[in-house]
Amino acid sequence: MSRSSSLRLSRRIWTQLTILASVTVISVAVMAFGFVKVPALLGVGRYTVKVDLPASGGLYPTSVVTYRGSEIGSVKSVDVTQNGVQAVLSLKSDIAIPSDVTAAVHSRSAIGEQFLDLTPHSGTVQDTGPKLRDGDVIAVGKTQIPVDIGSLLDTTNKALAAIPQDNLHTVVDEASKAVAGLGPELSRLVDGGTRVGDRRRQDQRLVLPADRRVSPGSQPPRCGRRIRSRRGRGG
């Protein structure tokens, strides 16, 4: 009897355990639906669209897919094909996207991650016309990829190498001589431009009272009163 009573939990402990269990369930639910997005991983509320690209353009799985600047899905996979690359997109079902769109790979910055932006063609109305459906394919003719940075650097290097070294040295030397000793003058020029800009902003803050504003083609109020008074004296 004493042993069973000692193992019995008090009401306060049961309350604490209930609160702890509730907090744990809520935290797991928030993590699953808010951060991990389990329904999206399971394909709930999603449909699949394929995009044929001439090259990946830096696109990779989990890249963001946008429509008119808003995120509408992500890239599930990027597979190599005989004619290029095919990206599989997982898009939200609650957003209607016209089927006549252009898929372009962009970069968020010079060294940022790549994303795929869907843009409707000019004249396409979002609420009318056919929409993208599960299994649709965006043809390679409606896609755009950025210029490869490596190829661009190689081309620039070749262009610079084609310039005669003597002429290049001459241009650099003449440019150095042209601005030599002009440091103080350039500094005063920049300071003067800054002061002019500050003065202009100060002048823009000065607003005349409403009774002293003059509209185009009208006479100032004080001049009008003086003219009327002179006419009265003359009469």
Side-chain angles (χ1 to χ4, degrees):
M1 185 69 176
S2 59
R3 183 176 181 180
S4 60
S5 60
S6 61
L7 295 177
R8 185 179 303 172
L9 300 178
S10 62
R11 184 174 182 179
R12 179 181 178 182
I13 296 178
W14 277 111
T15 303
Q16 293 176 350
L17 292 175
T18 303
I19 296 174
L20 180 60
S22 301
V23 171
T24 302
V25 171
I26 294 174
S27 301
V28 171
V30 171
M31 289 293 295
F33 293 93
F35 296 97
V36 182
K37 297 180 180 179
V38 173
L41 295 177
L42 298 177
V44 178
R46 299 270 174 159
Y47 66 98
T48 301
V49 173
K50 298 180 180 179
V51 181
D52 291 332
L53 299 166
S56 65
L59 207 64
Y60 57 91
T62 70
S63 294
V64 175
V65 180
T66 62
Y67 176 69
R68 295 183 182 272
S70 301
E71 183 176 346
I72 60 170
S74 61
V75 178
K76 290 181 62 177
S77 63
V78 179
D79 302 321
V80 179
T81 61
Q82 294 181 352
N83 300 323
V85 171
Q86 187 176 74
V88 180
L89 313 182
S90 176
L91 306 180
K92 298 179 181 178
S93 302
D94 57 347
I95 300 178
I97 303 173
S99 60
D100 189 13
V101 293
T102 299
V105 180
H106 297 290
S107 178
R108 297 186 182 275
S109 63
I111 57 175
E113 60 181 4
Q114 307 296 102
F115 69 96
L116 187 68
D117 183 50
L118 302 180
T119 306
H121 287 176
S122 59
T124 301
V125 182
Q126 182 177 2
D127 296 334
T128 60
K131 304 294 188 297
L132 282 178
R133 296 178 298 177
D134 186 56
D136 286 349
V137 178
I138 300 177
V140 67
K142 297 182 179 180
T143 61
Q144 299 175 3
I145 60 174
V147 178
D148 183 47
I149 300 298
S151 302
L152 180 61
L153 293 177
D154 292 339
T155 304
T156 304
N157 190 23
K158 292 179 181 178
L160 294 176
I163 301 175
Q165 296 296 322
D166 295 338
N167 295 341
L168 184 60
H169 285 301
T170 301
V171 172
V172 174
D173 293 339
E174 293 299 328
S176 177
K177 293 177 182 179
V179 297
L182 297 179
E185 287 76 8
L186 294 176
S187 179
R188 286 195 294 269
L189 180 62
V190 173
D191 293 340
T194 303
R195 287 195 294 269
V196 171
D198 295 339
R199 182 62 181 273
R200 182 180 179 183
R201 286 191 293 269
Q202 292 177 1
D203 293 341
Q204 289 178 348
R205 297 191 186 100
L206 299 177
V207 180
L208 292 174
D211 58 348
R212 298 188 60 184
R213 296 176 185 173
V214 181
S215 60
S218 62
Q219 296 180 347
R222 293 186 177 180
C223 294
R225 288 196 295 268
R226 292 178 182 176
I227 293 174
R228 287 195 297 270
S229 62
R230 290 178 181 177
R231 288 181 180 178
R233 293 176 184 177

